[in-house]
């Protein structure tokens, strides 16, 4: 992968749209999971448990779960495959990758590289299809007795359908589903750090990430300063073709993504929200380019507080007390990620423990790394990817009782 980074990055930018520099970063990020799990595979130790019986030994074996289907999204078409496949292959499982219909070429490129690397036939497989065939493929996977596990990253709606259908054959599941991440800026925060963290977390991949902060809450004493400095930072972001030097934001993935953003902005402004910056398509560049947007005074029941916007839009709400903002932050069915900015270390621990999500960024906007466990709670799914815990979802634990040894 490192030897072919430029070609892989160019494929990624061509089919997904993110800036080439970000695409190169994704290739490195994806490769880091292969490297991590190649080492972690050496540490899938079994166990010997002391037996209460003198003539018996209790032995624990760890074995691969079997054939795994990996259903991956379009927003990280390289890394989402490798985050799953690295763990599965290290555990000894063969994989069937079903990439998004929007971005199949990154998956096919990885299949080609697996062949060049010497993988035996049938170990790393890719199945592509048209959007109209996706349900048929998913049903076939769920009903096939030889497929032991499904790992899926995508919407909560589709994740629920997979859970329902996979129950027919009682498959093992890992689900990384929708998010509605809160980002909280407290009065004790360093506002420059908070703004930099917001830019990194929100505008990476043009806001099309599952851990992107969807709701921003700023405490009253720092509200005006944060809005002013964030507006200045956002205005410096460059929108354009991903292959153009210096571009910060590329196009959205399709027309439906643009229409959803417009619907969220219209809903918010109709209820009293104010547009500070942006708010429109950048039609000179194309129909799928949308201006980085900043809104304030977002009402509690606005669509962008209830649904994942998945675009370059920041909606800001003012709050007064910590207890108040924790209720607002946790008032969602999702629980993937959350962010907080404060210089008070007691508050970091207190709020981190009380946010109902699987990942917390404290004074940091970029969270994911191969050595850390990635996954959510509530209707954001279950299972972990990355870290020493990530391989566990691809392993069965077997107990062997050895008797009559005396």
């Amino acid at each position: 992968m490192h030897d072919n980074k430029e070609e892989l990055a160019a494929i990624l930018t061509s089919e997904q749209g993110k800036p080439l520099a970000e695409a190169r970063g994704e290739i490195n990020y994806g490769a880091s999971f292969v490297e991590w799990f190649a080492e972690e595979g050496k540490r899938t130790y079994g166990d010997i448990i002391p037996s209460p019986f003198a003539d018996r030994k209790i032995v624990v074996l760890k074995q691969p779960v079997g054939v795994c289907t990996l259903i991956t999204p379009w927003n990280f078409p390289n890394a989402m495959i490798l985050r799953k496949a690295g763990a599965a292959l290290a555990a000894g499982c063969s994989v069937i990758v079903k990439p998004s219909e929007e971005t199949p070429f990154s998956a096919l490129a990885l299949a080609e590289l697996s062949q060049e690397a010497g993988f035996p036939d049938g170990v790393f497989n890719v199945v592509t299809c048209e959007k109209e065939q996706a349900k048929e493929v998913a049903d076939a996977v769920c009903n096939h007795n030889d497929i032991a596990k499904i790992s899926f990253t995508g919407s909560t709606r589709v994740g629920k359908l997979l859970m329902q259908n996979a129950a027919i054959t009682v498959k093992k599941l890992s689900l990384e589903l929708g998010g509605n991440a809160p980002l909280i800026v407290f009065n004790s925060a360093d506002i420059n750090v908070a703004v930099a963290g917001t830019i990194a977390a929100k505008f990476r991949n043009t806001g099309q990430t599952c851990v992107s902060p969807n709701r921003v809450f700023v405490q009253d004493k720092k509200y005006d300063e944060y809005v002013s400095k964030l507006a200045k930072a956002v205005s410096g972001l460059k929108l354009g073709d991903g292959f153009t030097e210096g571009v910060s934001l590329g196009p959205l993935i399709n027309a439906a993504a643009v229409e959803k953003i417009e619907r969220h902005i219209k809903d918010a402004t109709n209820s009293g929200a104010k547009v500070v910056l942006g708010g429109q398509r950048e039609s000179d560049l194309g129909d799928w380019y949308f201006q980085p947007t900043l809104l304030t005074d977002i009402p509690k029941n606005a669509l962008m507080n209830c649904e994942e916007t998945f675009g370059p839009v920041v909606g800001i709400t003012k709050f007064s007390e910590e207890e108040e903002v924790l209720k607002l932050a946790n008032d969602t069915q999702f629980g993937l990620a959350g962010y907080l900015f404060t210089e008070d270390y007691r508050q970091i621990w207190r709020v981190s423990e009380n946010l109902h999500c699987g990942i917390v960024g404290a004074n940091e906007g970029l969270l994911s790394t191969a050595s850390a466990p990635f996954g959510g709670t509530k209707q954001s799914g279950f299972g972990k990817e990355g870290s020493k815990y990530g391989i566990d979802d691809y392993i069965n634990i077997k107990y062997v009782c050895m008797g009559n040894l005396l």
Side-chain angles (χ1 to χ4, degrees):
M1 285 186 64
H2 290 302
D3 291 342
N4 294 276
K5 180 169 74 172
E6 289 303 313
E7 291 87 347
L8 290 169
I11 291 170
L12 205 163
T13 294
S14 296
E15 66 175 348
Q16 199 274 336
K18 68 180 59 177
L20 188 59
E22 273 194 40
R24 292 189 185 107
E26 180 175 336
I27 303 306
N28 289 335
Y29 174 62
S32 72
F33 284 92
V34 178
E35 294 166 347
W36 172 269
F37 283 114
E39 294 299 320
E40 197 62 30
K42 303 172 185 177
R43 291 182 282 274
T44 52
Y45 304 126
D47 203 357
I48 297 176
I49 298 173
S51 171
F53 308 102
D55 65 340
R56 299 180 196 177
K57 295 292 184 185
I58 297 173
V59 180
V60 177
L61 305 179
K62 290 187 176 181
Q63 297 180 317
V65 69
V67 178
C68 300
T69 296
L70 316 177
I71 304 176
T72 57
W74 49 261
N75 56 341
F76 291 91
N78 177 286
M80 290 300 98
I81 292 172
L82 295 173
R83 199 161 74 177
K84 300 174 188 295
L89 294 168
C93 304
S94 58
V95 300
I96 303 167
V97 177
K98 161 56 181 73
S100 167
E101 304 81 37
E102 303 276 5
T103 53
F105 296 111
S106 290
L108 293 170
L110 290 175
E112 175 64 25
L113 289 180
S114 75
Q115 292 288 299
E116 292 182 16
F119 279 44
D121 290 343
V123 172
F124 188 96
N125 310 277
V126 175
V127 174
T128 63
C129 70
E130 298 290 341
K131 191 171 186 178
E132 294 74 21
Q133 299 170 308
K135 183 180 184 303
E136 181 182 352
V137 172
D139 288 345
V141 166
C142 289
N143 292 325
H144 204 295
N145 286 315
D146 290 340
I147 294 175
K149 175 184 169 63
I150 299 171
S151 178
F152 170 73
T153 297
S155 72
T156 296
R157 181 186 66 83
V158 174
K160 289 177 179 179
L161 291 173
L162 286 172
M163 281 185 71
Q164 189 177 42
N165 293 339
I168 297 169
T169 49
V170 196
K171 297 194 190 306
K172 194 167 186 176
L173 288 172
S174 299
L175 301 175
E176 195 257 283
L177 307 177
N180 190 9
L183 185 150
I184 306 169
V185 181
F186 288 100
N187 285 336
S188 59
D190 181 324
I191 293 302
N192 292 328
V193 171
V195 167
T198 305
I199 294 293
K202 182 62 191 180
F203 291 99
R204 182 168 59 106
N205 200 18
T206 319
Q208 300 171 116
T209 76
C210 53
V211 293
S212 174
N214 205 52
R215 300 166 294 147
V216 176
F217 304 102
V218 183
Q219 203 161 10
D220 44 17
K221 292 179 181 179
K222 292 294 182 73
Y223 184 85
D224 290 340
E225 181 186 359
Y226 175 83
V227 171
S228 174
K229 289 186 175 180
L230 182 62
K232 183 178 180 180
V234 171
S235 66
L237 298 175
K238 183 178 179 181
L239 185 62
D241 182 275
F243 286 104
T244 302
E245 190 71 26
V247 161
S248 312
L249 308 174
L252 294 163
I253 190 64
N254 54 32
V258 179
E259 290 164 4
K260 184 178 185 181
I261 289 170
E262 290 177 329
R263 187 169 69 253
H264 280 196
I265 292 174
K266 182 178 180 180
D267 170 78
T269 54
N270 284 347
S271 299
K274 300 178 180 64
V275 178
V276 176
L277 198 70
Q280 297 179 341
R281 301 186 192 209
E282 195 66 66
S283 300
D284 292 345
L285 294 173
D287 290 339
W288 297 356
Y289 290 86
F290 202 90
Q291 297 171 351
T293 299
L294 179 60
L295 295 93
T296 58
D297 303 328
I298 305 297
K300 181 181 178 181
N301 61 349
L303 282 177
M304 66 172 56
N305 277 344
C306 305
E307 301 175 0
E308 200 171 21
T309 303
F310 232 61
V313 180
V314 177
I316 305 175
T317 301
K318 185 187 294 186
F319 74 94
S320 298
E321 303 296 332
E322 181 181 306
E323 183 179 0
E324 169 197 0
V325 78
L326 279 171
K327 288 180 179 178
L328 291 170
N330 291 329
D331 186 19
T332 174
Q333 62 184 329
F334 302 106
L336 184 54
Y339 303 83
L340 66 137
F341 291 87
T342 174
E343 296 292 285
D344 182 344
Y345 71 90
R346 294 183 180 87
Q347 191 169 50
I348 289 175
W349 278 112
R350 191 168 60 245
V351 175
S352 295
E353 289 186 335
N354 284 288
L355 282 173
H356 299 168
C357 55
I359 308 166
V360 175
N363 295 321
E364 181 56 63
L366 295 177
L367 306 177
S368 188
T369 176
S371 56
F374 189 101
T377 60
K378 300 196 284 188
Q379 292 190 39
S380 289
F382 48 81
K384 298 298 180 185
E385 295 182 340
S387 81
K388 65 179 183 179
Y389 304 106
I391 203 167
D392 292 343
D393 278 333
Y394 298 90
I395 284 175
N396 283 332
I397 293 177
K398 179 182 287 185
Y399 157 44
V400 178
C401 178
M402 302 173 65
N404 290 293
L405 297 178
L406 296 181

